């Protein structure tokens, strides 16, 4: 993934007009990063916290971005780390209760459409994967990143990202087949 005109504008704007640059960063990447983080954390409040921390870290450390490096993989790398740090253990998606549930009982949430059983089963299947496979699967399936970009985000090689994706896909297919 190469650096875009928007990325250059964001980087330059943060340097010259920090408040405007930050707003531009949020407009360009906020929603996409939130969705990515949300798929990892499952809980809105945790996703919001991780997104805020991601954007602040990116803003404060924009100078660490290597010359010519695309902003998206760098941001997703930060977002993935923050999401994994924020993620609560014991969160599950419950079809029976039509909510997200944790060890303390159901959590009211409107992010997931519990009437779409196939989508719920897919989310349940994704949650059974190890964190690296979850991340690789989400980045490929939902965000449509190529394997070299995914590798850059998760700190691996493109071949390893491809293998993780295909293993995740096989596990998800098995899970879905067993449930339907």
């Amino acid at each position: 993934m190469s650096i875009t005109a928007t990325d250059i504008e964001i980087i330059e704007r943060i340097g010259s007009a920090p408040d405007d640059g930050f707003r531009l960063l949020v407009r360009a990447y906020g929603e996409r990063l939130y969705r990515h983080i949300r798929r990892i954390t499952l809980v809105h409040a945790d996703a919001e916290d991780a997104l805020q921390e991601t954007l602040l870290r990116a803003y404060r450390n924009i100078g660490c971005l290597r010359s010519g490096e695309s902003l998206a993989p760098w941001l997703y790398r930060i977002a993935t780390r923050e999401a994994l740090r924020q993620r609560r253990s014991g969160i599950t998606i419950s079809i029976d209760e039509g909510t997200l549930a944790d060890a303390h009982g159901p959590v009211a949430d409107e992010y997931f459409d519990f009437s779409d059983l196939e989508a719920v089963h897919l989310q349940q299947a994704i949650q059974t994967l190890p964190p690296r496979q979850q991340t690789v699967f989400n980045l490929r399936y939902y965000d449509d990143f190529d394997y070299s970009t995914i590798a850059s985000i998760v700190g691996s090689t493109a071949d390893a990202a491809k293998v993780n994706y295909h293993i995740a896909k096989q596990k998800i297919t098995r899970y879905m087949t067993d449930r339907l």
Side-chain angles (χ1 to χ4, degrees):
M1 179 172 267
S2 61
I3 192 160
T4 66
T6 304
D7 290 351
I8 293 169
E9 184 181 354
I10 290 168
I11 294 164
E12 288 175 352
R13 189 78 59 91
I14 287 174
S16 64
D19 291 345
D20 290 341
F22 186 76
R23 280 191 284 279
L24 191 58
L25 174 68
V26 171
R27 272 196 308 271
Y29 287 98
E31 188 175 328
R32 290 188 283 169
L33 289 172
Y34 174 82
R35 286 193 311 263
H36 170 68
I37 292 167
R38 183 61 190 268
R39 285 189 288 270
I40 296 169
T41 64
L42 297 178
V43 177
H44 172 70
D46 294 343
E48 277 190 329
D49 290 346
L51 177 62
Q52 287 176 5
E53 189 61 33
T54 296
L55 293 169
L56 286 173
R57 284 180 189 257
Y59 173 76
R60 289 182 190 137
N61 297 297
I62 199 80
C64 296
L65 186 65
R66 291 186 297 265
S67 179
E69 182 180 8
S70 177
L71 195 53
W74 185 70
L75 289 169
Y76 274 79
R77 193 166 39 251
I78 296 168
T80 300
R81 287 185 191 131
E82 284 303 316
L84 290 171
R85 195 175 63 72
Q86 290 283 339
R87 181 168 60 180
R88 300 179 199 181
S89 61
I91 300 287
T92 58
I93 300 171
S94 171
I95 296 173
D96 298 332
E97 304 196 23
T99 62
L100 290 172
D102 65 17
H104 307 291
V107 177
D109 196 288
E110 296 182 21
Y111 182 73
F112 294 100
D113 177 8
F114 291 97
S115 64
D116 183 351
L117 290 181
E118 191 170 308
V120 171
H121 285 300
L122 176 60
Q123 289 305 313
Q124 288 174 324
I126 291 169
Q127 293 308 307
T128 67
L129 299 171
R132 167 117 356 159
Q133 288 175 6
Q134 266 185 42
T135 302
V136 169
F137 181 83
N138 286 337
L139 289 168
R140 181 75 178 148
Y141 183 79
Y142 290 109
D143 298 308
D144 200 30
F145 282 120
D146 60 51
Y147 292 114
S148 61
T149 301
I150 293 169
S152 158
I153 293 167
V154 300
S156 72
T157 65
D159 287 340
K162 186 182 272 189
V163 167
N164 274 294
Y165 176 75
H166 288 290
I167 290 171
K169 198 166 80 170
Q170 288 172 344
K171 288 179 180 179
I172 289 168
T173 301
R174 230 177 293 126
Y175 184 95
M176 298 287 285
T177 302
D178 291 347
R179 298 288 183 264
L180 300 177

